[in-house]
Each structure stands twice: as structure tokens, then as C-alpha cells.
Amino acid sequence: MSSAFDASEFLAGYLVEAEEHLSASTTNLLAVEASLRKGENNPRAVRELFRSLHTIKGLSAMVGVEPIVDIAHAMETVLRLADRAAGALTAPAVDALLSGLRAIGERVRALSAKAPVMPAPPQLLDALAALEIARSPEAPTRELELEPELLAKLSPAEKAQIVQGAEAGRRALRVDFTPSPARAAEGINITTVRERINAMAEIVKVLPLSMPASDAAPGGLTFALLILTDAADEQLAGAAATTPAQIRELQTRRTALAAPLAEEPPTAEEDLGETEGRKRGIVRVDVARLDDALERLSALVITRFRLERAVDALAAQGVNVGELGDIVKGYGRQVRDLRGAIMRARMVPVSELLDRVPLIVRGLSRATNKPVRVEIDAGQAELDKAVAERIFPAIVHLIRNAVDHAIEPPAERKRLGKPEEGLVRVTCFERSTTQLELCITDDGRGIDREAAARRAGRPVPEDDAALLDLITLPGLTTLDQATKTSGRGLGMDIVKRAAVDQLGGALSLRTKRGAGTTFTLLVPLTITIVDAFSFVCGEQTFVAPVAAIEEIVDVVPGGLVRGPSRHTRFGEVQFMERRGEIVPLVSLSSVFSLASRGDPKALVVRRNGTPFAFAIHRVVGQQEVVIRPLEDPLVKVTGVSGSTDLGDGRPTLVLDLVALSSAISHNRAEVSL
Amino acid sequence: MTEILVVDDSKVMREMIVACLRVEEDFAFTHAASGLEAIEKLALKPFDLVVLDLNMPDIGGFEVIEFIRGQDQLQSLPILVVTTRGDEGSRARALGAGASQFMTKPFAPDAILANVRSMLRRDAAGSDE
């Protein structure tokens, strides 16, 4: 053999690529199912699925994994038919394809573990072969107007995709990119342009067009990107290294066959009215544009602070600021209204966020052989898109834990007198105008405190709050054996990091042996601009989000409870009596090593359901603040979530008092008395 | 040097193809991870042979072949299609569009090397005429 080829050399690369394609396929199949629920096809996701499976099939053939070749081939046949029917797939087909992905995944993992690879399951191949792909697509009511040579290169599904996108109110555009050696040297090529455009648009098709070579097009080539987007021409032109003038709108026109023959064709006015009517009420806006609006609003909020300060300074000099003061107050109200309007535009229904949960539970239920019912009550709650994106992985993690760890196998449930089918409930409601409460509940076995403590090598936690502290320790897993769906070293610390550390929210736990567990996530509805209290401590001003503070109380020396004196590296912990409850109290001045001027007030926060108080010198007031994250790891400190500008031009630290109380509590446990 | 453009969206597959062909010391390889990338590279630099997959994102191998054969200066560029699509329809379509040779995955290392060598010899003979 003359070549240096040895298939086993490529096994590691094969496993990585196979996992990537499986992951992309799962995402695409979920997208198909989500579209199906809305009664729509998703031709793009079907095409991507087909491509991934085709690649898996080719690679598997090269490394000689015939069972995967067989499964991928059977799935590919289904998807090819679906592609010809403009992406039409039925619910049973989605089910069978999900089984196929799972079967391939199991074999890839077996290969990875050097275990024997099972043959393709005949019942799966039969089920895939027996699928009937739905009807051919309905004829579109509009058709695309494009130069004939370009139109000829588009498939019916691609034409339909452009027409449907345009009908849904998105802009259908042609953006040209002309490659050249100079641009390639700068790293601007069709791959980078495609990636940049893809970040702001849905690319339907990229067509290469040849032309006579010239200075402008030395390669005699231009790529025409046909896209659907809400982005501005300037942004697109920047991404494609072209000018806005080079961007062309793609036109559609009503097809002759669209109107039933027996009816009169609609008049121009009716036609317009119908189109406008369909579009009315929904405008899709790129999140980047909303971020931009928020950024500009942030500048207005800071300007308001500066105006207020200037008016105060004039008043202090004895100037009559009556009318000016009224104008500034009115301006403040307008900025607040504008903030409300922009924030509302950023909100997404939580029900949409939780759309994928039933499928996730179904997949887990099958993987673990535990029948599990899922109940979701998202009500009318809405959440900032940025918060939704950050919190979703934590929700998925809690659901995985519930099905995999908490819910008992059916035989065990029967023995315990429980229904064989387990239950996972996801509920949420807006707890205030600034916070959303999300609960994930299961009716499983509850968390075994002793086992968790044993595993962590720590004392047995005395209550649910201490148990939560224990199970959110980085790297801890409470399951003795890694399972198929979880237990791969990713623990509850991920949930805590998302909800508490990244979003400044709270996480709490309620568990009862044999009866089940509820995790409650309290997250802010929005981030960036929040209502906050500003207060003075030592000589320094701080702010903390209103949502995190339960109460502001007076510290009455007589109300302090004498008890065992506890010192931590954050200073002395005292105890305060509040409505019959003992609350730990720490002076913020000592936490930040500031000179104390006497701390007669206290901010009470609640962590894992238990209160904790921070003594401060004086509350300045309540106002909107724009939180700027602290990116540099050198200035990232526990308890400080960002900085803000209160209009005096100096940065003011935004405190995360819940995280700070958590750090102090951990520290307290570690110091000797 | 003989410049060969290897086009496949799978990095592992490109590496496998290169591993089969690298016994020839004067072969130099350029990778393209998509049909679009392949077309751009072909427009900006001359190549002696293209090894091409059919199933790729955005623009498939058939479209790449059609584009190549639509260019005067690339009329005689040898194109070896290496694909998982082993059906007769695909073979006929690829050859009809202008592919020089058609192989299916999995391919034998010796077979792909022999094919490439013979295509380059044929090309050299053709250009001598």
C-alpha cells in the first residue's frame, strides 16, 4: 500500500465532527417541531438536517461504522422527500428522526468508549421506511421577481422561503460581495462575509456570478447573497465590504393563480389592505437595534442626573430654579416613559422561552425509561430577551436533574404508592414589576442531605438553604454514577452562576424526602437599566438594585442581640432583632475597609429565603441607574456587579448584596469562633 | 508543484483525502470548507486539480462544477468528485455537468491516488497536444 492513510488515525476527529453534527441536527429538528406546532414548514432546518446526516453517513463509511451509515441513510431518505415537499414533515416523522439521532448518538458514544457498536435497530429502520411524507406544499400566493438567470438557480423551497419572509414583513435583499486578492489578504473573503451577514440576516442562498475581470473585480467574480433581514443597509454594506447603494430590494408579485378563478381579483386597494393587515401588530426587530436604542437611552438617563445636579447647585446658590426644576422633572418622566417603551419592545413571552421544555422532557423521559408528564404554566409573563437567553440553560439543567436524579423509576414509584408517571412542573409569574419568579418542581425522591454531605465531605446541612449552598459548590454532583443524560461533572453551580452571579437574581430550594423538590429562580425582568437605591457608607456612595433589597430599617442599638461574637474577614457579624426574627448584620464599611461614621441604617436582603442585613450610614435616594458590567477580571470582586454614573462623572459601584451575603456566610462557616 | 484544491465541508474528510494523496511529494494542498470558498479560491489563484464533495452548505458540488465549466480559463481543469452519493443519477448529473471523474465514499486510498495521477497525466498530455 503506497499511501500513508490509516482510518484509525482519524477516529478522534470523526468523533468530534459526529457530535457537532448530532448537536446541530437536534437543534434543527427541534426547530422543525416548533414550526410544526405553528402549522408551518421549516425547509431551511430540513435542508441543514439532511446535510448533517449526509456528512455523518460519509464519514462513518470512511471509518467503517456501518450501523451509523445504515441509520443515517434511512433518515436521509426521509429528509430528501421532505425537502422535495418544501420541508413538510409530520409529527411521527419528527419522532422517528429523533429516535434516529439518539441511535446514532449511542453508537458514536460507544465508539468513543471503545465499546462494541450495536447494529442498526431493525424496528427503527422499518419505522423510518414506513413514514409518509405529507402533502406537497401549497402554491405560494406570490412569486419572486428576479433576473431569469438567478431565478433559475433557486429551488422552489428557496423561492418560497424568500416570498414567505417578505410576506412576514422582513426585507428581502440582494447584497453583493466581490472578492479580490487584496481583500483576501485583509481576511475579507466569502466565508467571513457570510458569517458577518449571517449574524444579522437569514441567508437564503449565495450565488456566484462571473463577469469580465476588471480592477473592481480582479477575479471576474461576484457573490450575490439573497437574504431576509431587519438590519439596516449601512450595517449590511459594512459586513459585505460594499456600499448601501449596491444593496437591492428583491420584489415579489402576486401570482396569477393565487386568486380562485371564480372570484374577482382583488382591487389594488384591497390587495394592499390585506398585506398591511397581515403585517399589522408585529414588527420583527433585530436585537442589535434594540440594544442600540437602550444604549442611547442610557446616555439620556445619565444626562438627567447631570441636569438634576446642576439645578441643585443653582438652588444652593440661591437662584430661583422653580421653572427649570419643573422642566427637569418633566424631562425625567419622559425619559422614564421612554425606558418603559423600549423595555417593552425587548420583552419576549416566557411561554415562548419554555416552548422547548416538553420536547426536552420527552427526550429525557425516553433516555431514562421513566414516564414523565410535564406541566407548564407561563401565564402572560414576559422577560427581556437578553435575560431569557442567559437563564434558559439553567432551566434546562434543573429539568435534567429532575428527570434524571429526582424522579424514581416507575417500579420504585409504584412500590412507594406514587403514580408510575413522574411529574415536572414549570411555573412562572411576575413577582413584582422588576422580578420574575420561575419554579421547577418535581414529585421525585427529594434530595438526600446526608448523601450530599457525604459526597462533598462536609457536615450535614441543617436546612434547605444550607443544602443549596452545599449542592451549588463547583464540581459537586450528587449522583453516584454518571448517567446518560447528566452527571458529566456539570453541577448545580452552573445554575447558580447563571441566576445569581450573572443576573443578580436569587436561587432557593425546598425539598422533602420522598415528596419532591422545588427550585425557585428569581431573576430580574431586565438588565442594564434598573431601579436602585443609592446610599452612603464611609465617605463613599454605592448603589444596589431595589429588587434585591427587601427592606430598609433603622439599626437601634438596643435592638441588637448579644450572642456569640463572630468575626470574619469581612468584619464582625452582629445579630439584629426584626419582628421576632434574628437577622445577621454586617457593616458595609467594614466589608469594604472604609472609615465608619456610624451606621444607623440597614439594608435587609434575602438569600435562599433567609434574611441578612448590611449596616450603612445614609440612604440618598431611589433612581434609575445604568449598570455597566466590570469586564476586567482584576476589578471583578464578589458583591460588586458593575459600575454606574450618577451624573457626577465619577464611577459608582453597583453592589450585589445577595452575592455578598452569600460570600460572608460561607466565610463565617470557615472561621473559628 | 502541483496545486490541488480539496473541497469538503468536513475537516476530517479533507484530512483523509490529503493523507491518501500526500505520498506524492510535489503535491501542494489547499483546503476549502464550502463550495463558495472553493469558487473564490479558484477565481483568485490557479489550480491543477480539484477534489470535490457534492453535499455542502449554501452551494453544493454540482453548482461548483457548473460554475467552473462556465469559465473559459477553467474549461480543462480536472475535477474529481468524491461523494457519499453513490447513486447513478448523481454520477450522471456530475459527469454531465463536467466532472472529470466520480468516486464514492468510502474510497480506497490507492484508488483515489491512482485516479488523481491519471487525471493529471491526461491533463498534461492534453495540454501538450
Side-chain angles (χ1 to χ4, degrees):
Chain A
M1 164 109 170
S2 55
S3 106
F5 182 85
D6 174 4
S8 65
E9 268 181 39
F10 297 97
L11 192 61
Y14 163 81
L15 292 170
V16 170
E17 277 199 13
E19 285 286 1
E20 280 171 9
H21 281 291
L22 281 172
S23 166
S25 299
T26 306
T27 307
N28 280 315
L29 202 47
L30 289 172
V32 169
E33 175 149 279
S35 301
L36 203 57
R37 275 203 296 274
K38 293 182 206 156
E40 295 167 2
N41 292 349
N42 193 333
R44 184 184 173 81
V46 168
R47 276 205 301 277
E48 286 300 312
L49 253 171
F50 174 81
R51 208 175 57 72
S52 283
L53 283 159
H54 193 75
T55 302
I56 289 176
K57 181 173 132 182
L59 284 172
S60 303
M62 285 303 292
V63 292
V65 201
E66 288 307 319
I68 295 182
V69 176
D70 294 343
I71 299 166
H73 180 73
M75 294 172 72
E76 205 187 75
T77 307
V78 173
L79 291 165
R80 185 175 283 136
L81 291 172
D83 187 42
R84 284 180 193 155
L89 271 177
T90 57
V94 170
D95 271 350
L97 291 168
L98 270 174
S99 304
L101 287 180
R102 227 173 357 255
I104 293 176
E106 283 164 11
R107 281 153 186 81
V108 169
R109 280 190 289 278
L111 208 58
S112 169
K114 298 188 170 58
V117 177
M118 301 293 285
Q123 64 275 28
L124 171 66
L125 300 183
D126 291 346
L128 287 165
L131 286 173
E132 282 184 15
I133 297 305
R135 67 254 135 51
S136 44
E138 287 172 22
T141 55
R142 301 189 78 83
E143 67 186 29
L144 188 62
E145 285 186 348
L146 203 62
E147 295 96 312
E149 63 273 25
L150 298 187
L151 207 55
K153 290 182 179 171
L154 295 181
S155 71
E158 286 160 348
K159 286 179 206 161
Q161 194 179 345
I162 295 174
V163 170
Q164 281 163 11
E167 285 186 338
R170 304 189 79 186
R171 302 170 69 214
L173 301 175
R174 171 181 161 183
V175 181
D176 285 1
F177 165 65
T178 305
S180 71
R183 283 183 168 153
E186 290 170 33
I188 304 170
N189 54 47
I190 183 60
T191 305
T192 58
V193 166
R194 194 192 167 286
E195 280 167 7
R196 278 149 56 172
I197 294 282
N198 198 38
M200 56 184 85
E202 180 182 338
I203 300 176
V204 179
K205 185 79 179 173
V206 184
L207 295 167
L209 306 172
S210 53
M211 57 179 65
S214 64
D215 286 349
L221 172 71
T222 280
F223 290 104
L225 292 94
L226 307 186
I227 61 171
L228 291 165
T229 186
D230 297 311
D233 286 355
E234 292 75 21
Q235 274 182 293
L236 295 163
T242 183
T243 59
Q246 295 297 313
I247 296 175
R248 274 161 279 185
E249 197 104 21
L250 302 179
Q251 303 296 328
T252 62
R253 63 180 161 81
R254 182 166 280 276
T255 55
L257 294 173
L261 292 174
E263 290 176 18
E264 286 290 308
T267 63
E269 286 81 359
E270 281 166 350
D271 189 8
L272 181 69
E274 187 197 343
T275 313
E276 289 301 306
R278 251 202 312 270
K279 287 181 188 171
R280 194 183 304 134
I282 294 178
V283 179
R284 289 177 189 230
V285 183
D286 188 356
V287 178
R289 286 192 184 188
L290 292 171
D291 285 344
D292 185 44
L294 197 61
E295 190 62 29
R296 285 163 203 269
L297 174 70
S298 302
L300 289 181
V301 171
I302 290 166
T303 304
R304 192 189 71 197
F305 295 153
R306 295 180 61 194
L307 278 172
E308 283 169 354
R309 279 177 177 269
V311 171
D312 288 348
L314 284 175
Q317 289 166 24
V319 177
N320 180 1
V321 292
E323 192 182 346
L324 185 58
D326 288 344
I327 293 171
V328 171
K329 273 195 194 122
Y331 173 72
R333 277 194 299 276
Q334 287 164 0
V335 169
R336 178 164 274 277
D337 290 347
L338 184 60
R339 171 193 161 193
I342 292 178
M343 286 306 182
R344 276 195 298 281
R346 292 176 61 93
M347 295 304 220
V348 291
V350 181
S351 55
E352 250 177 47
L353 176 72
L354 299 179
D355 261 0
R356 284 171 53 191
V357 168
L359 195 60
I360 292 167
V361 171
R362 191 179 65 174
L364 291 166
S365 164
R366 289 187 181 182
T368 56
N369 289 323
K370 296 175 187 174
V372 180
R373 183 161 54 94
V374 61
E375 286 179 7
I376 295 176
D377 180 6
Q380 301 298 313
E382 292 189 324
L383 199 58
D384 186 304
K385 195 165 165 48
V387 177
E389 279 170 6
R390 288 190 204 183
I391 203 66
F392 190 66
I395 298 171
V396 172
H397 195 84
L398 289 172
I399 289 169
R400 276 181 185 279
N401 276 355
V403 178
D404 201 19
H405 297 209
I407 290 174
E408 310 87 341
E412 191 182 334
R413 290 178 67 91
K414 197 172 174 186
R415 189 169 53 75
L416 294 168
K418 290 182 172 185
E420 284 186 38
E421 189 179 57
L423 173 69
V424 172
R425 270 180 68 79
V426 184
T427 57
C428 82
F429 68 98
E430 283 176 33
R431 202 162 94 158
S432 66
T433 52
T434 55
Q435 279 188 313
L436 182 84
E437 186 172 303
L438 255 161
C439 296
I440 292 105
T441 303
D442 67 70
D443 69 344
R445 50 173 70 104
I447 300 174
D448 183 339
R449 272 185 211 173
E450 284 77 19
R454 223 175 19 248
R455 185 143 189 97
R458 304 260 176 145
V460 177
E462 57 209 28
D463 54 23
D464 284 347
L467 175 63
L468 183 66
D469 283 344
L470 185 75
I471 64 173
T472 50
L473 287 174
L476 183 83
T477 171
T478 51
L479 197 69
D480 285 330
Q481 270 184 320
T483 66
K484 273 186 273 186
T485 53
S486 60
R488 293 184 194 161
L490 303 174
M492 282 291 299
D493 56 315
I494 287 175
V495 178
K496 185 179 162 219
R497 209 157 52 230
V500 181
D501 301 347
Q502 291 179 2
L503 290 171
L507 172 68
S508 60
L509 159 74
R510 212 172 57 245
T511 186
K512 192 168 174 204
R513 285 293 294 277
T517 303
T518 296
F519 284 97
T520 303
L521 291 157
L522 208 57
V523 292
L525 292 180
T526 61
I527 45 178
T528 311
I529 298 183
V530 299
D531 287 312
F533 285 120
S534 55
F535 50 89
V536 175
C537 191
E539 293 295 330
Q540 202 164 323
T541 305
F542 294 97
V543 300
V546 168
I549 295 169
E550 187 172 279
E551 193 178 7
I552 299 172
V553 296
D554 291 325
V555 177
V556 186
L560 292 180
V561 177
R562 297 196 68 80
S565 169
R566 290 172 179 241
H567 286 270
T568 72
R569 68 184 169 91
F570 295 101
E572 187 186 0
V573 182
Q574 295 180 292
F575 296 92
M576 185 178 88
E577 194 273 334
R578 191 186 66 151
R579 296 191 288 278
E581 194 177 30
I582 300 297
V583 181
L585 174 75
V586 167
S587 164
L588 261 185
S589 305
S590 61
V591 170
F592 292 110
S593 305
L594 302 167
S596 172
R597 293 190 295 169
D599 294 327
K601 295 272 183 193
L603 308 175
V604 182
V605 299
R606 200 168 270 275
R607 184 183 61 85
N608 300 346
T610 55
F612 197 101
F614 289 96
I616 58 161
H617 182 65
R618 175 168 62 90
V619 174
V620 178
Q622 181 182 337
Q623 62 203 109
E624 289 172 303
V625 298
V626 180
I627 299 181
R628 306 280 180 210
L630 297 173
E631 303 290 357
D632 191 333
L634 281 176
V635 292
K636 273 191 177 171
V637 180
T638 303
V640 177
S641 54
S643 75
T644 189
D645 180 351
L646 295 179
D648 58 1
R650 287 184 306 175
T652 302
L653 291 180
V654 180
L655 300 186
D656 179 349
L657 296 177
V658 177
L660 198 53
S661 74
S662 180
I664 293 171
S665 298
H666 284 306
N667 187 258
R668 190 185 67 182
E670 284 158 16
V671 295
S672 55
L673 300 179
Chain B
M1 284 304 255
T2 302
E3 296 285 348
I4 297 180
L5 180 63
V6 182
V7 191
D8 199 306
D9 58 324
S10 164
K11 181 167 172 273
V12 182
M13 190 60 80
R14 294 197 303 273
E15 286 170 356
M16 286 176 175
I17 291 167
V18 170
C20 295
L21 303 179
R22 70 183 165 210
V23 284
E24 287 283 356
E25 285 180 4
D26 81 323
F27 282 2
F29 301 97
T30 300
H31 290 234
S34 70
L36 295 172
E37 212 177 302
I39 286 175
E40 185 178 44
K41 289 195 158 124
L42 285 163
L44 301 180
K45 181 187 161 182
F47 286 93
D48 299 301
L49 184 139
V50 179
V51 181
L52 180 68
D53 183 27
L54 288 183
N55 176 67
M56 290 179 292
D58 285 338
I59 181 167
F62 293 123
E63 288 162 282
V64 176
I65 301 169
E66 282 162 11
F67 180 85
I68 291 174
R69 294 304 179 228
Q71 311 299 303
D72 290 343
Q73 71 279 19
L74 298 177
Q75 282 293 333
S76 57
L77 177 70
I79 305 172
L80 170 61
V81 168
V82 181
T83 176
T84 313
R85 288 191 181 191
D87 59 291
E88 277 310 309
S90 295
R91 177 188 292 270
R93 190 176 160 199
L95 295 174
S100 321
Q101 283 272 10
F102 188 95
M103 294 183 75
T104 54
K105 299 172 190 169
F107 50 80
D110 281 350
I112 188 171
L113 183 63
N115 258 331
V116 165
R117 280 176 176 153
S118 94
M119 287 167 76
L120 287 169
R121 268 199 305 274
R122 207 180 310 149
D123 185 44
S127 55
D128 288 346
E129 282 167 10

